[in-house]
Amino acid sequence: MFDFLSTTLSRRQPEQQSGETNQLMWQWLEEGVLLLEPILLEAMHLETQSVANRDVQDQPLDSVLLSVGVHGNETAPIEILNRIVSDLMSGDLTLKVRLLVMIGNIDAMIKGERYLELDLNRLFSNQQFSGQHAKFTDCAETQRAKQLEGIVSSFFDQAENGRRFHFDMHTAIRGSHHQRFALLPYKESTTGQAQGVYSRTMFDWLGSAGIDAVVVNQAPSGTFSYFSSHYCLADSCTLELGKAKPFGENDLNQFEGINLGVRNMISQGMPLNHDESNTSCVKVYQVTQQLTKLTEDFQLNFNDEVKNFTSFQYGEVLAQDGKVTYQVEQPQEWVLFPNAKVRPGLRAGLMLVQVNKETLF
Ligand SMILES: [Zn+2]
């Protein structure tokens, strides 16, 4: 049996590209992309008339996409996912969902970089620019975005009636007042409300997996999770799970919550019933303003070391860009991903407000 990570790192195709264990069928779809399906699924198709299988048919399998390494230097989730794949292959972990696992930016991962030419997590198609990658000069990353989109679309097309989930797992460089948090992509409203409705099941699961906070985006973006949410109708999120470190230097104990959460989800499927017992401490934020770097004069008005989710009070100046001043417009705002070193025209930070979690559903 091949090792998913070392095979991907070696840039060689595995000798065998598909196979079967006692419980699952696996298929190497592309470099760093593996599809795993429980054998039960095939039995369901063959025995659709069987009364004994009726329970199974009533609950179609969930389809789950787990992506890691979209930023190549964020290694802890890659190591965690690789162990999960090994345990599935050996039969130590049961598979009860259709599972697609992928390592995003392999070239960057090999070099230990976030990305080489362009940030892969800005290149996915979105509603504003259909085929976002078409706007950028062709490079390995635009091609990878296009390739992953195709694979993900056909994976979810084949999901039939089951629920669809996508967890894109990252780690951050900057310190954070919330160690682990989720970013929910913008969702169009279909009911005239200000925003679309998010999955309560996913929110409950995030709480049970040790996520401290959830941030709701207010606009389409070129992220992987926006793509799968908007185009594949998956319940998706980007997970920020702790500090980014090189391979071998991660303290995987710090990732135990998400590791166990993912293992439970894979081996039992997502819960069917609402259970908010783990979500009482989860804070919910939404984006209230973006700090856009307009010119090279852009300067943040705070220390470079400031942590994510540091709060600012009404009127405080956040950044200066020539004659443009960004300041806090709400009684209190929290900063996320401040970075003055981006190219002009790009996002140099987000400001958040806290909202009641019930506004999500
Ligand atoms: Zn990342």
PDB file of all heavy atoms in Angstrom, residues 8 31 103 130 141 165 167 177 198 200-201 236 276 307 352:
ATOM      1  N   THR A   8       2.958  11.678  -2.976  1.00  0.00           N
ATOM      2  CA  THR A   8       2.717  13.008  -3.540  1.00  0.00           C
ATOM      3  C   THR A   8       4.016  13.818  -3.570  1.00  0.00           C
ATOM      4  O   THR A   8       4.333  14.463  -4.575  1.00  0.00           O
ATOM      5  CB  THR A   8       1.650  13.751  -2.712  1.00  0.00           C
ATOM      6  OG1 THR A   8       0.476  12.945  -2.662  1.00  0.00           O
ATOM      7  CG2 THR A   8       1.311  15.100  -3.321  1.00  0.00           C
ATOM      8  N   GLU A  31      -2.344  13.851  -9.109  1.00  0.00           N
ATOM      9  CA  GLU A  31      -1.296  14.045  -8.101  1.00  0.00           C
ATOM     10  C   GLU A  31      -1.910  14.618  -6.832  1.00  0.00           C
ATOM     11  O   GLU A  31      -2.572  15.668  -6.875  1.00  0.00           O
ATOM     12  CB  GLU A  31      -0.287  15.068  -8.622  1.00  0.00           C
ATOM     13  CG  GLU A  31       0.908  14.457  -9.297  1.00  0.00           C
ATOM     14  CD  GLU A  31       2.000  15.494  -9.452  1.00  0.00           C
ATOM     15  OE1 GLU A  31       1.727  16.545 -10.065  1.00  0.00           O
ATOM     16  OE2 GLU A  31       3.099  15.259  -8.932  1.00  0.00           O
ATOM     17  N   ILE A 103      -4.218  17.356  -1.585  1.00  0.00           N
ATOM     18  CA  ILE A 103      -3.156  18.281  -1.184  1.00  0.00           C
ATOM     19  C   ILE A 103      -3.104  19.342  -2.281  1.00  0.00           C
ATOM     20  O   ILE A 103      -2.896  19.018  -3.453  1.00  0.00           O
ATOM     21  CB  ILE A 103      -1.810  17.551  -1.056  1.00  0.00           C
ATOM     22  CG1 ILE A 103      -1.908  16.458   0.025  1.00  0.00           C
ATOM     23  CG2 ILE A 103      -0.698  18.548  -0.738  1.00  0.00           C
ATOM     24  CD1 ILE A 103      -0.672  15.597   0.169  1.00  0.00           C
ATOM     25  N   SER A 130     -16.283  34.762 -13.241  1.00  0.00           N
ATOM     26  CA  SER A 130     -16.397  33.342 -13.513  1.00  0.00           C
ATOM     27  C   SER A 130     -15.082  32.910 -14.147  1.00  0.00           C
ATOM     28  O   SER A 130     -14.630  33.493 -15.122  1.00  0.00           O
ATOM     29  CB  SER A 130     -17.577  33.100 -14.432  1.00  0.00           C
ATOM     30  OG  SER A 130     -17.789  31.724 -14.507  1.00  0.00           O
ATOM     31  N   GLU A 141       0.059  27.472 -10.521  1.00  0.00           N
ATOM     32  CA  GLU A 141      -1.037  27.617  -9.558  1.00  0.00           C
ATOM     33  C   GLU A 141      -2.393  27.852 -10.224  1.00  0.00           C
ATOM     34  O   GLU A 141      -3.403  27.334  -9.761  1.00  0.00           O
ATOM     35  CB  GLU A 141      -0.701  28.719  -8.552  1.00  0.00           C
ATOM     36  CG  GLU A 141       0.150  28.171  -7.406  1.00  0.00           C
ATOM     37  CD  GLU A 141       1.423  28.946  -7.134  1.00  0.00           C
ATOM     38  OE1 GLU A 141       1.717  29.881  -7.899  1.00  0.00           O
ATOM     39  OE2 GLU A 141       2.128  28.589  -6.165  1.00  0.00           O
ATOM     40  N   PHE A 165     -20.093  18.345   2.178  1.00  0.00           N
ATOM     41  CA  PHE A 165     -19.288  19.187   3.069  1.00  0.00           C
ATOM     42  C   PHE A 165     -17.881  19.352   2.500  1.00  0.00           C
ATOM     43  O   PHE A 165     -17.350  18.444   1.863  1.00  0.00           O
ATOM     44  CB  PHE A 165     -19.182  18.560   4.463  1.00  0.00           C
ATOM     45  CG  PHE A 165     -20.510  18.413   5.161  1.00  0.00           C
ATOM     46  CD1 PHE A 165     -21.198  17.195   5.134  1.00  0.00           C
ATOM     47  CD2 PHE A 165     -21.083  19.493   5.820  1.00  0.00           C
ATOM     48  CE1 PHE A 165     -22.426  17.059   5.769  1.00  0.00           C
ATOM     49  CE2 PHE A 165     -22.315  19.366   6.453  1.00  0.00           C
ATOM     50  CZ  PHE A 165     -22.992  18.150   6.427  1.00  0.00           C
ATOM     51  N   PHE A 167     -14.128  20.909   4.012  1.00  0.00           N
ATOM     52  CA  PHE A 167     -13.306  21.547   5.029  1.00  0.00           C
ATOM     53  C   PHE A 167     -11.911  21.758   4.439  1.00  0.00           C
ATOM     54  O   PHE A 167     -11.233  20.796   4.083  1.00  0.00           O
ATOM     55  CB  PHE A 167     -13.247  20.684   6.297  1.00  0.00           C
ATOM     56  CG  PHE A 167     -14.618  20.463   6.877  1.00  0.00           C
ATOM     57  CD1 PHE A 167     -15.338  19.302   6.585  1.00  0.00           C
ATOM     58  CD2 PHE A 167     -15.223  21.440   7.648  1.00  0.00           C
ATOM     59  CE1 PHE A 167     -16.627  19.120   7.079  1.00  0.00           C
ATOM     60  CE2 PHE A 167     -16.505  21.273   8.141  1.00  0.00           C
ATOM     61  CZ  PHE A 167     -17.211  20.108   7.851  1.00  0.00           C
ATOM     62  N   HIS A 177      -6.034  35.562  19.068  1.00  0.00           N
ATOM     63  CA  HIS A 177      -6.771  35.426  20.325  1.00  0.00           C
ATOM     64  C   HIS A 177      -7.707  34.224  20.287  1.00  0.00           C
ATOM     65  O   HIS A 177      -8.065  33.694  21.325  1.00  0.00           O
ATOM     66  CB  HIS A 177      -7.544  36.712  20.628  1.00  0.00           C
ATOM     67  CG  HIS A 177      -6.629  37.840  21.016  1.00  0.00           C
ATOM     68  ND1 HIS A 177      -5.964  37.851  22.219  1.00  0.00           N
ATOM     69  CD2 HIS A 177      -6.243  38.952  20.351  1.00  0.00           C
ATOM     70  CE1 HIS A 177      -5.212  38.949  22.292  1.00  0.00           C
ATOM     71  NE2 HIS A 177      -5.361  39.634  21.164  1.00  0.00           N
ATOM     72  N   TYR A 198     -26.716  29.097   6.769  1.00  0.00           N
ATOM     73  CA  TYR A 198     -25.600  28.163   6.931  1.00  0.00           C
ATOM     74  C   TYR A 198     -26.069  26.883   7.609  1.00  0.00           C
ATOM     75  O   TYR A 198     -27.135  26.842   8.222  1.00  0.00           O
ATOM     76  CB  TYR A 198     -24.473  28.829   7.724  1.00  0.00           C
ATOM     77  CG  TYR A 198     -23.817  29.931   6.919  1.00  0.00           C
ATOM     78  CD1 TYR A 198     -24.288  31.239   6.981  1.00  0.00           C
ATOM     79  CD2 TYR A 198     -22.766  29.638   6.057  1.00  0.00           C
ATOM     80  CE1 TYR A 198     -23.702  32.240   6.218  1.00  0.00           C
ATOM     81  CE2 TYR A 198     -22.181  30.638   5.289  1.00  0.00           C
ATOM     82  CZ  TYR A 198     -22.650  31.938   5.374  1.00  0.00           C
ATOM     83  OH  TYR A 198     -22.081  32.917   4.607  1.00  0.00           O
ATOM     84  N   ARG A 200     -26.485  24.218  10.254  1.00  0.00           N
ATOM     85  CA  ARG A 200     -26.403  24.099  11.699  1.00  0.00           C
ATOM     86  C   ARG A 200     -25.598  22.848  12.071  1.00  0.00           C
ATOM     87  O   ARG A 200     -24.851  22.838  13.044  1.00  0.00           O
ATOM     88  CB  ARG A 200     -27.816  24.022  12.290  1.00  0.00           C
ATOM     89  CG  ARG A 200     -27.900  24.455  13.726  1.00  0.00           C
ATOM     90  CD  ARG A 200     -29.314  24.336  14.234  1.00  0.00           C
ATOM     91  NE  ARG A 200     -30.064  25.568  14.216  1.00  0.00           N
ATOM     92  CZ  ARG A 200     -30.001  26.499  15.177  1.00  0.00           C
ATOM     93  NH1 ARG A 200     -29.178  26.358  16.180  1.00  0.00           N
ATOM     94  NH2 ARG A 200     -30.741  27.570  15.107  1.00  0.00           N
ATOM     95  N   THR A 201     -25.741  21.824  11.266  1.00  0.00           N
ATOM     96  CA  THR A 201     -24.974  20.588  11.503  1.00  0.00           C
ATOM     97  C   THR A 201     -23.477  20.894  11.459  1.00  0.00           C
ATOM     98  O   THR A 201     -22.718  20.444  12.305  1.00  0.00           O
ATOM     99  CB  THR A 201     -25.281  19.558  10.388  1.00  0.00           C
ATOM    100  OG1 THR A 201     -26.686  19.407  10.311  1.00  0.00           O
ATOM    101  CG2 THR A 201     -24.607  18.246  10.638  1.00  0.00           C
ATOM    102  N   SER A 236     -19.389  24.563   3.288  1.00  0.00           N
ATOM    103  CA  SER A 236     -17.931  24.645   3.223  1.00  0.00           C
ATOM    104  C   SER A 236     -17.387  25.609   4.253  1.00  0.00           C
ATOM    105  O   SER A 236     -18.080  26.555   4.640  1.00  0.00           O
ATOM    106  CB  SER A 236     -17.498  25.185   1.855  1.00  0.00           C
ATOM    107  OG  SER A 236     -18.103  24.463   0.826  1.00  0.00           O
ATOM    108  N   GLU A 276     -26.378  21.379  20.180  1.00  0.00           N
ATOM    109  CA  GLU A 276     -25.575  22.591  20.382  1.00  0.00           C
ATOM    110  C   GLU A 276     -24.743  22.543  21.647  1.00  0.00           C
ATOM    111  O   GLU A 276     -24.202  23.553  22.078  1.00  0.00           O
ATOM    112  CB  GLU A 276     -26.469  23.837  20.366  1.00  0.00           C
ATOM    113  CG  GLU A 276     -27.517  23.877  21.437  1.00  0.00           C
ATOM    114  CD  GLU A 276     -28.442  25.077  21.270  1.00  0.00           C
ATOM    115  OE1 GLU A 276     -28.188  25.912  20.386  1.00  0.00           O
ATOM    116  OE2 GLU A 276     -29.410  25.163  22.032  1.00  0.00           O
ATOM    117  N   LYS A 307      -2.168  40.536  17.222  1.00  0.00           N
ATOM    118  CA  LYS A 307      -2.762  39.219  16.971  1.00  0.00           C
ATOM    119  C   LYS A 307      -4.088  39.353  16.240  1.00  0.00           C
ATOM    120  O   LYS A 307      -4.774  40.373  16.372  1.00  0.00           O
ATOM    121  CB  LYS A 307      -3.021  38.508  18.309  1.00  0.00           C
ATOM    122  CG  LYS A 307      -1.775  38.057  19.013  1.00  0.00           C
ATOM    123  CD  LYS A 307      -2.156  37.333  20.300  1.00  0.00           C
ATOM    124  CE  LYS A 307      -0.933  36.725  20.953  1.00  0.00           C
ATOM    125  NZ  LYS A 307      -1.286  36.051  22.212  1.00  0.00           N
ATOM    126  N   LEU A 352     -13.958  43.099  11.837  1.00  0.00           N
ATOM    127  CA  LEU A 352     -15.102  42.242  12.159  1.00  0.00           C
ATOM    128  C   LEU A 352     -15.952  42.857  13.261  1.00  0.00           C
ATOM    129  O   LEU A 352     -15.446  43.628  14.075  1.00  0.00           O
ATOM    130  CB  LEU A 352     -14.603  40.884  12.675  1.00  0.00           C
ATOM    131  CG  LEU A 352     -13.479  40.204  11.897  1.00  0.00           C
ATOM    132  CD1 LEU A 352     -13.036  38.941  12.640  1.00  0.00           C
ATOM    133  CD2 LEU A 352     -13.952  39.852  10.491  1.00  0.00           C
TER     134      LEU A 352
END
